[in-house]
Amino acid sequence: MSNAKDFARLPGFRDFPPEELGLRSHLFEAWRRVAARYGFQEYDAPPLEPLSLYVEKSGEEIVGQLYNFTDKGGREVSLRPEMTPSLARVLGDRSRSMPKPIRWFSIPQLFRYERQQRGRLREHFQWNVDLVGAAGPEADAEVLAVALDGLRELGLDAHHIRARVSDRRLLAGILGALGVPESSLLAAYGVVDKIEREPRERILQRLTDEVELPREVAEAVAGLFDAPELDAVEARFGQDPAVAPHLASLRSFLEILGDLGFGEYVDFDLTIVRGLAYYTGVVFEIFDRAGEFRAVAGGGRYDRLLELVGGESLPAVGFGMGDVVLSDLLRERGLAPDTSHSVDHFIVTIGDEQASLARRIAASLRGRGRSVVYGVRGQSVRKQFSAASNEGAREVLVLGPDEVSRGVAVVRSMDSGAEREVRISELLGDAVVGA
Amino acid sequence: MSNAKDFARLPGFRDFPPEELGLRSHLFEAWRRVAARYGFQEYDAPPLEPLSLYVEKSGEEIVGQLYNFTDKGGREVSLRPEMTPSLARVLGDRSRSMPKPIRWFSIPQLFRYERQQRGRLREHFQWNVDLVGAAGPEADAEVLAVALDGLRELGLDAHHIRARVSDRRLLAGILGALGVPESSLLAAYGVVDKIEREPRERILQRLTDEVELPREVAEAVAGLFDAPELDAVEARFGQDPAVAPHLASLRSFLEILGDLGFGEYVDFDLTIVRGLAYYTGVVFEIFDRAGEFRAVAGGGRYDRLLELVGGESLPAVGFGMGDVVLSDLLRERGLAPDTSHSVDHFIVTIGDEQASLARRIAASLRGRGRSVVYGVRGQSVRKQFSAASNEGAREVLVLGPDEVSRGVAVVRSMDSGAEREVRISELLGDAVVGA
């Protein structure tokens, strides 16, 4: 006989029994509703793709993190670690003939072969929203509004969450003004990204050693984040022609988010740069205000990515929002929905003579969209009521010989215990029954 | 620069741009609605599982058809080719403490590494519905009713489709009565499964050579299907104690399906045995009546499967319904829905002065659940109307300087061209606007 352990699910993967799937569906439905309100259309692509699709975008070093393998046809393939390359591939075939901007979203399951740690999974679901073919702060704001509205739809308001936003062009202009050469920008972003989490001395050391900045430039860069408010940045750099247009654009972005109802959710934060190399403008990350969790979502503008994987050169802005941190946050804040099972009606039969009638009533009610379960033949009435309770039935319809002979059934509300009689012809007919 | 061909999707996999995803969502939503009406709850499990989960159930020969590989941790793994082993694994952990019967469904994407042929994909989505912990014709009928109701919900009625049903215990009893030894039953099922598609002589040859039946037994078996109606079978074998109880059970199964409203959909058909070894009772396949397509769905009772993969020994009945044949059938019968994109409102601004107002109106309408897109700043009015048409807008709200100064917007129906004025305070407020 086989060993049950051989059948255990793989490390880093989740089963979704109904009580877990209920929360997942709650997220997916909210995401789909909100995306539709902003005119976004859903797409999907295969969970397995050519490995080259990811290597081209992210370099060979990405392979170490991928769930990749050689398939039986000798192809180098990978479970998808992110959706953007597939989006670029699908758009590449068709974007030239499509009206712009293109508003698309997807909810893929994504995979990484990461070292196992507590809370680090090898798969998660991610809401991917992209607006392609439009540049400018309106498009940036529209996409961040979708992300924030998706969270608001789930009950998270400006007291629970905030978006930290910046713009790489703005940061580049400021760093340039401070003496950071353009060739060092990406390395400097990497240090700025850690500025909250590492001590000043360590930051200075990384700026001089890794980014190879002179000590006084390194100190100026590190000092920048002592007064990170937008007004302070403007007062200091607002006259610099490499900074001014990006400041104006960011102000416009924030103003539009205000119009869209999300002013309270958004904070300017120059330390937000995002890890990935391909962002070219606005960048943002959404966190819980209490700072207990990792980022709930992140995104930004990536104007040169699509052409990298063979597509048309199109400006684009998008975000990804994972299900794992968000589910934890909703549970922690008491915002996870009640996912316990329920049905509208459970039909109890006193004797097997009513079994056929019970089924015909079930068919009729189901035809009107109701959820109906009936007792298993031969089960005692007590056991059937217990089953009705297990099914979370709102109402029990009792079919007994006396009532049936009078053409009625007894309907008992499982909440109140109140009983009433309903005509069987009504249960079988077109008139709507019950509450 | 990279070669776009390297990024092409893998053979046998599908992209789902929005117009394709629309049909897929249409299926999934119908499946979920119908499953809920019968009290079934959705679950899911990982798309990647230990290879042993499938080998244990189906034997080493299954490996040739699987999308399996060795992962970076040296584990033998496989993309899931079917859902039942995962179901058994998830239930194995918890079924003992759950009230029976258990009604669960899932819509997994499944994978097989099959040789590439026209119309043969390496992935598909499958509606999997299982009722676990109940034996008997009520449970069998309930599950087939879910399958048929799922198709009816999509517009396929008894004129379009039919379920061909049989029972392996019945066939076993009849074959036994004809002289087939029990040890030859599985081999005989394999020949019966092909009886429609192969000439009588070939069937006879296979029954004598492969199943090793004496010539007269082979002829009796082949002749059985000359008069395959249930009444004929009953007249001939109804007194045989190895046949009679299974005939009664099948009659009851058909009667229950009649009560549930599916009598017209169901035909008794002794040639239906299903390919898989693990079925133990009722078996069924659903086809289009015209016989143009492969099976739309198939299933049956499998009372010994769950314990095979380490679970509790529980009677179970279930089916799988794939998305590929069903989508083709719906398209062919004109039942695929219109999946063209549409939004409720498109907001046109005459000048940039109205841009902020347009966004505030959009936010207000979206807050009431409407889908709203607005024009890109600086676009001509003509281009904005063209964009409204591309978005499939039902109504265009036009914000012009004169109207705005009077506190109104012009609402144009894109269907009728009719225009009316609406107060902007209404668009921004709580009152519901539009149709």
Side-chain angles (χ1 to χ4, degrees):
Chain A
M1 198 51 224
S2 54
N3 182 345
K5 213 168 137 259
D6 292 345
F7 308 135
R9 67 174 183 275
L10 295 169
F13 285 79
R14 291 171 292 172
D15 283 332
F16 289 92
E19 64 275 17
E20 301 285 333
L21 195 99
L23 178 55
R24 188 179 109 184
S25 299
H26 178 66
L27 301 189
F28 289 8
E29 286 164 16
W31 289 345
R32 288 191 169 107
R33 271 196 310 276
V34 169
R37 276 181 217 155
Y38 288 76
F40 284 72
Q41 296 180 268
E42 188 170 356
Y43 71 98
D44 196 9
L48 197 68
E49 292 275 16
L51 180 61
S52 54
L53 194 62
Y54 307 110
V55 172
E56 183 64 31
K57 180 186 151 202
S58 307
E60 280 293 340
E61 63 276 16
I62 190 72
V63 177
Q65 301 166 40
L66 296 187
Y67 225 121
N68 64 304
F69 60 98
T70 308
D71 81 5
K72 289 179 174 179
R75 295 174 203 88
E76 292 297 324
V77 299
S78 177
L79 290 168
R80 60 185 170 198
E82 55 164 327
M83 200 61 179
T84 314
S86 301
L87 168 67
R89 207 256 335 282
V90 179
L91 280 180
D93 295 342
R94 50 176 52 229
S95 67
R96 271 171 246 272
S97 64
M98 290 170 68
K100 313 289 180 318
I102 298 160
R103 295 178 183 86
W104 276 15
F105 79 97
S106 191
I107 309 180
Q109 191 171 18
L110 304 177
F111 306 86
R112 289 192 180 246
Y113 197 87
E114 292 191 282
R115 201 162 55 82
Q116 271 297 106
Q117 299 172 43
R118 199 179 132 73
R120 296 290 277 179
L121 296 174
R122 287 181 174 162
E123 53 76 23
H124 74 292
F125 289 87
Q126 193 182 74
W127 189 25
N128 267 256
V129 175
D130 291 277
L131 199 159
V132 175
E138 287 97 340
D140 297 336
E142 188 83 352
V143 163
L144 178 52
V146 173
L148 292 168
D149 216 351
L151 295 169
R152 187 170 63 181
E153 184 81 3
L154 291 163
L156 293 163
D157 63 26
H159 297 98
H160 299 106
I161 52 162
R162 64 176 181 137
R164 298 161 66 184
V165 307
S166 186
D167 188 314
R168 280 215 180 167
R169 293 162 302 185
L170 177 66
L171 182 60
I174 292 171
L175 293 178
L178 294 176
V180 178
E182 193 167 343
S183 57
S184 301
L185 280 177
L186 270 182
Y189 292 161
V191 180
V192 170
D193 190 39
K194 300 279 181 294
I195 219 154
E196 278 193 334
R197 276 162 284 173
E198 294 182 352
R200 171 70 66 104
E201 263 318 302
R202 171 87 187 117
I203 293 294
L204 283 171
Q205 189 196 341
R206 290 189 60 193
L207 287 170
T208 51
D209 296 1
E210 292 171 31
V211 192
E212 297 179 354
L213 299 178
R215 180 76 193 185
E216 68 277 12
V217 174
E219 282 179 354
V221 170
L224 182 63
F225 301 95
D226 295 339
E229 290 75 29
L230 192 52
D231 289 341
V233 168
E234 180 142 32
R236 186 164 168 205
F237 300 97
Q239 302 307 312
D240 190 309
V243 173
H246 307 306
L247 264 176
S249 169
L250 193 68
R251 292 255 186 224
S252 173
F253 171 71
L254 295 171
E255 184 192 315
I256 296 168
L257 281 163
D259 285 340
L260 293 173
F262 297 102
E264 311 250 289
Y265 289 73
V266 183
D267 296 328
F268 170 69
D269 188 333
L270 206 49
T271 66
I272 297 296
V273 294
R274 308 277 298 145
L276 296 159
Y278 59 75
Y279 288 106
T280 56
V282 156
V283 283
F284 56 83
E285 295 185 349
I286 303 176
F287 290 88
D288 66 300
R289 284 223 182 248
E292 292 168 43
F293 295 89
R294 295 156 58 100
V296 173
R301 176 160 288 285
Y302 57 97
D303 284 348
R304 289 191 290 272
L305 183 61
L306 297 182
E307 61 192 301
L308 248 192
V309 283
E312 195 181 353
S313 172
L314 283 171
V317 54
F319 72 83
M321 180 184 295
D323 70 326
V324 179
V325 172
L326 179 53
S327 296
D328 288 346
L329 177 59
L330 290 174
R331 282 195 202 94
E332 193 64 38
R333 298 289 177 268
L335 293 168
D338 176 9
T339 58
S340 58
H341 178 56
S342 68
V343 296
D344 295 323
H345 309 285
F346 189 102
I347 308 179
V348 166
T349 50
I350 305 294
D352 285 349
E353 317 83 71
Q354 293 96 34
S356 172
L357 178 62
R359 292 188 292 258
R360 287 183 289 123
I361 291 173
S364 170
L365 292 172
R366 286 166 178 164
R368 293 178 241 166
R370 308 298 182 78
S371 52
V372 187
V373 175
Y374 47 84
V376 177
R377 190 192 285 249
Q379 230 173 14
S380 72
V381 172
R382 196 184 52 77
K383 280 209 167 169
Q384 291 181 67
F385 266 98
S386 158
S389 168
N390 287 330
E391 298 286 347
R394 288 195 305 110
E395 283 189 348
V396 172
L397 308 185
V398 186
L399 300 179
D402 297 345
E403 288 80 7
V404 169
S405 71
R406 288 195 293 117
V408 297
V410 174
V411 178
R412 181 189 295 184
S413 160
M414 290 293 268
D415 271 346
S416 68
E419 294 194 348
R420 67 184 200 284
E421 289 191 348
V422 175
R423 296 207 63 75
I424 286 169
S425 59
E426 202 176 291
L427 294 172
L428 291 171
D430 291 326
V432 174
V433 70
Chain B
M1 197 52 224
S2 53
N3 182 347
K5 211 167 139 264
D6 291 345
F7 309 135
R9 66 173 184 274
L10 295 170
F13 284 80
R14 292 170 293 171
D15 283 332
F16 290 92
E19 65 275 18
E20 301 286 334
L21 195 98
L23 178 55
R24 187 180 109 183
S25 299
H26 178 67
L27 302 190
F28 290 8
E29 286 163 16
W31 290 345
R32 290 192 168 108
R33 271 196 309 277
V34 168
R37 275 181 218 154
Y38 288 77
F40 284 72
Q41 297 179 267
E42 188 170 357
Y43 72 98
D44 196 8
L48 197 68
E49 291 275 16
L51 179 61
S52 54
L53 194 60
Y54 307 110
V55 172
E56 182 64 31
K57 178 186 152 201
S58 306
E60 281 292 339
E61 63 277 14
I62 190 72
V63 177
Q65 300 166 40
L66 297 187
Y67 226 121
N68 63 305
F69 60 97
T70 307
D71 81 4
K72 289 179 173 178
R75 297 174 201 87
E76 292 298 324
V77 299
S78 177
L79 289 168
R80 60 186 169 198
E82 56 164 324
M83 200 61 179
T84 314
S86 301
L87 168 67
R89 207 259 330 281
V90 179
L91 280 180
D93 294 343
R94 50 178 49 230
S95 69
R96 269 170 247 272
S97 62
M98 290 170 68
K100 313 289 182 312
I102 297 159
R103 295 179 182 86
W104 276 15
F105 79 98
S106 191
I107 309 181
Q109 191 171 17
L110 304 177
F111 306 86
R112 288 193 181 246
Y113 197 89
E114 294 191 282
R115 202 162 53 81
Q116 271 297 104
Q117 299 173 45
R118 200 180 129 72
R120 295 290 277 178
L121 296 174
R122 287 181 173 162
E123 54 76 22
H124 74 291
F125 289 88
Q126 194 182 73
W127 188 26
N128 267 256
V129 175
D130 291 277
L131 200 160
V132 174
E138 286 99 339
D140 297 336
E142 187 83 351
V143 162
L144 179 52
V146 173
L148 292 168
D149 215 351
L151 295 168
R152 187 169 65 180
E153 183 81 2
L154 292 163
L156 294 163
D157 63 26
H159 298 96
H160 299 105
I161 51 162
R162 64 177 181 134
R164 299 162 64 185
V165 306
S166 185
D167 188 314
R168 281 215 179 163
R169 293 162 302 185
L170 176 66
L171 183 60
I174 292 171
L175 292 178
L178 295 176
V180 178
E182 194 168 342
S183 57
S184 301
L185 279 178
L186 270 182
Y189 292 161
V191 180
V192 170
D193 190 39
K194 300 278 179 292
I195 217 154
E196 277 193 332
R197 277 161 285 174
E198 294 184 352
R200 170 71 65 107
E201 263 318 302
R202 171 86 186 114
I203 293 294
L204 283 172
Q205 190 196 340
R206 290 188 60 191
L207 286 170
T208 51
D209 296 2
E210 292 171 30
V211 192
E212 299 179 349
L213 299 179
R215 180 77 193 185
E216 67 278 13
V217 175
E219 283 178 354
V221 170
L224 183 61
F225 301 94
D226 296 339
E229 289 77 29
L230 194 52
D231 288 342
V233 168
E234 179 141 31
R236 187 162 165 207
F237 300 98
Q239 303 308 312
D240 190 310
V243 173
H246 306 306
L247 264 176
S249 167
L250 193 69
R251 292 255 185 225
S252 172
F253 171 70
L254 294 172
E255 184 193 315
I256 296 168
L257 281 163
D259 286 339
L260 293 172
F262 297 101
E264 312 251 289
Y265 289 73
V266 183
D267 296 328
F268 170 69
D269 188 333
L270 207 48
T271 66
I272 297 296
V273 294
R274 306 277 299 143
L276 296 159
Y278 59 71
Y279 288 106
T280 56
V282 156
V283 283
F284 56 84
E285 294 185 350
I286 303 177
F287 290 88
D288 65 301
R289 284 226 181 248
E292 292 167 43
F293 294 89
R294 296 156 57 100
V296 174
R301 175 160 289 284
Y302 56 97
D303 284 347
R304 287 190 291 272
L305 184 60
L306 296 182
E307 61 193 299
L308 248 190
V309 283
E312 195 180 355
S313 173
L314 284 171
V317 54
F319 72 84
M321 179 183 295
D323 70 326
V324 179
V325 172
L326 178 55
S327 296
D328 289 346
L329 177 59
L330 290 174
R331 283 195 201 93
E332 194 64 38
R333 300 290 177 265
L335 293 168
D338 177 10
T339 58
S340 58
H341 178 56
S342 68
V343 297
D344 296 322
H345 310 286
F346 188 102
I347 308 179
V348 167
T349 49
I350 305 295
D352 284 350
E353 316 82 71
Q354 293 95 35
S356 171
L357 178 61
R359 292 189 291 260
R360 285 182 290 125
I361 290 172
S364 169
L365 292 172
R366 286 166 177 162
R368 293 177 241 165
R370 308 296 182 78
S371 51
V372 187
V373 175
Y374 48 84
V376 176
R377 188 192 286 247
Q379 231 174 13
S380 73
V381 172
R382 196 184 52 77
K383 282 210 165 167
Q384 290 181 66
F385 266 97
S386 159
S389 168
N390 286 329
E391 299 286 346
R394 288 194 307 108
E395 283 189 347
V396 173
L397 309 185
V398 185
L399 300 179
D402 297 345
E403 289 79 6
V404 169
S405 70
R406 289 197 290 118
V408 298
V410 174
V411 178
R412 182 189 294 182
S413 159
M414 291 292 270
D415 272 346
S416 68
E419 295 193 347
R420 68 183 200 285
E421 290 191 347
V422 176
R423 296 207 60 76
I424 287 170
S425 58
E426 204 176 291
L427 294 172
L428 290 171
D430 291 326
V432 176
V433 69

